[in-house]
Amino acid sequence: KAGVTQTPRYLIKTRGQQVTLSCSPISGHRSVSWYQQTPGQGLQFLFEYFSETQRNKGNFPGRFSGRQFSNSRSEMNVSTLELGDSALYLCASSLEIAYSNEQFFGPGTRLTVL
Amino acid sequence: LAKTTQPISMDSYEGQEVNITCSHNNIATNDYITWYQQFPSQGPRFIIQGYKTKVTNEVASLFIPADRKSSTLSLPRVSLSDTAVYYCLVGDQTGANNLFFGTGTRLTVIP
């Protein structure tokens, strides 16, 4: 069974631009969660989508948004990019809701904001 | 808000048993405790999950006392390839900071 895939793997943007990251979960998985990882803040939860609905959201500004499609694929959007948004963005999928199920992580998208 | 506290780093020699303890004083009744391992430039990988008492799988054991305010991940006979960051995760289904990973414990295995 194929693992979680994320595209693109690397991305360079400039301040003020917006970016869309994509995540394809493992087939059959209904939950997709997004995380931001930086050296200073560690691994922080952004949001979780389950059956096309945002189930939970972390403590991030409204510039960070996401959605999930009927095939469980998910996209994450960051508008008006700031230098501090430079990070590794990880997507994880799980069979059911994330808090009580094993999450499978993708390789991440490395975003650099100049 | 179920937050976790772990040691920032630990060192161990090859072949030893390693125990990493995580504190989660505000754990809620329905929270699960999950441990993940992360190597550089990779996403975290699931190690083990438990709710109470002891759970064991082929790679680790998880000890959870009755009050569930802490948990201990036990790695038997570590090898150099176990050098990684280990995260203790408490799934909080009620709060805004669900799935809080924290900063993790950097384990370095020494030959």
Side-chain angles (χ1 to χ4, degrees):
Chain A
K1 187 181 279 191
V4 177
T5 58
Q6 292 186 245
T7 56
R9 293 292 312 278
Y10 302 90
L11 205 51
I12 300 175
K13 292 284 188 179
T14 56
R15 278 184 302 173
Q17 287 187 309
Q18 75 164 19
V19 67
T20 299
L21 312 182
S22 180
C23 172
S24 292
I26 292 172
S27 177
H29 284 195
R30 299 166 65 191
S31 168
V32 173
S33 298
W34 288 89
Y35 296 84
Q36 181 196 65
Q37 186 167 34
T38 59
Q41 298 297 319
L43 194 56
Q44 297 187 90
F45 170 72
L46 279 157
F47 28 66
E48 178 192 3
Y49 284 87
F50 182 76
S51 294
E52 300 180 66
T53 302
Q54 186 180 87
R55 184 175 175 274
N56 286 301
K57 190 178 193 304
N59 190 27
F60 277 82
R63 300 185 297 106
F64 292 81
S65 63
R67 59 178 176 169
Q68 186 181 34
F69 302 96
S70 58
N71 61 359
S72 292
R73 190 178 69 85
S74 177
E75 287 182 347
M76 189 193 100
N77 184 274
V78 187
S79 63
T80 319
L81 284 166
E82 301 177 358
L83 295 179
D85 297 333
S86 294
L88 179 67
Y89 289 89
L90 292 160
C91 158
S93 76
S94 56
L95 205 54
E96 299 292 335
I97 55 176
Y99 90 99
S100 59
N101 285 272
E102 177 181 352
Q103 295 183 76
F104 295 83
F105 282 80
T109 294
R110 172 80 57 187
L111 172 65
T112 302
V113 182
L114 303 175
Chain B
L1 178 60
K3 299 186 72 171
T4 61
T5 303
Q6 305 174 230
I8 294 174
S9 63
M10 294 179 69
D11 293 337
S12 176
Y13 287 101
E14 262 191 305
Q16 288 190 328
E17 177 185 74
V18 171
N19 295 310
I20 306 174
T21 296
C22 177
S23 297
H24 28 79
N25 292 318
N26 296 326
I27 189 168
T29 303
N30 293 331
D31 285 346
Y32 286 76
I33 300 159
T34 313
W35 285 80
Y36 284 83
Q37 175 192 55
Q38 186 178 27
F39 298 111
S41 302
Q42 294 185 24
R45 186 182 70 166
F46 173 90
I47 302 174
I48 197 166
Q49 183 181 72
Y51 182 78
K52 61 181 179 181
T53 63
K54 176 185 174 182
V55 180
T56 297
N57 62 22
E58 62 276 9
V59 298
S61 295
L62 178 60
F63 299 92
I64 305 170
D67 65 5
R68 303 200 328 124
K69 293 184 183 298
S70 67
S71 58
T72 299
L73 174 72
S74 180
L75 304 172
R77 299 179 298 280
V78 294
S79 64
L80 296 178
S81 62
D82 292 319
T83 294
V85 178
Y86 292 83
Y87 293 95
C88 165
L89 174 64
V90 175
D92 175 3
Q93 66 171 11
T94 60
N97 284 330
N98 278 14
L99 308 171
F100 183 81
F101 270 74
T103 54
T105 298
R106 183 174 300 278
L107 171 66
T108 302
V109 180
I110 306 164

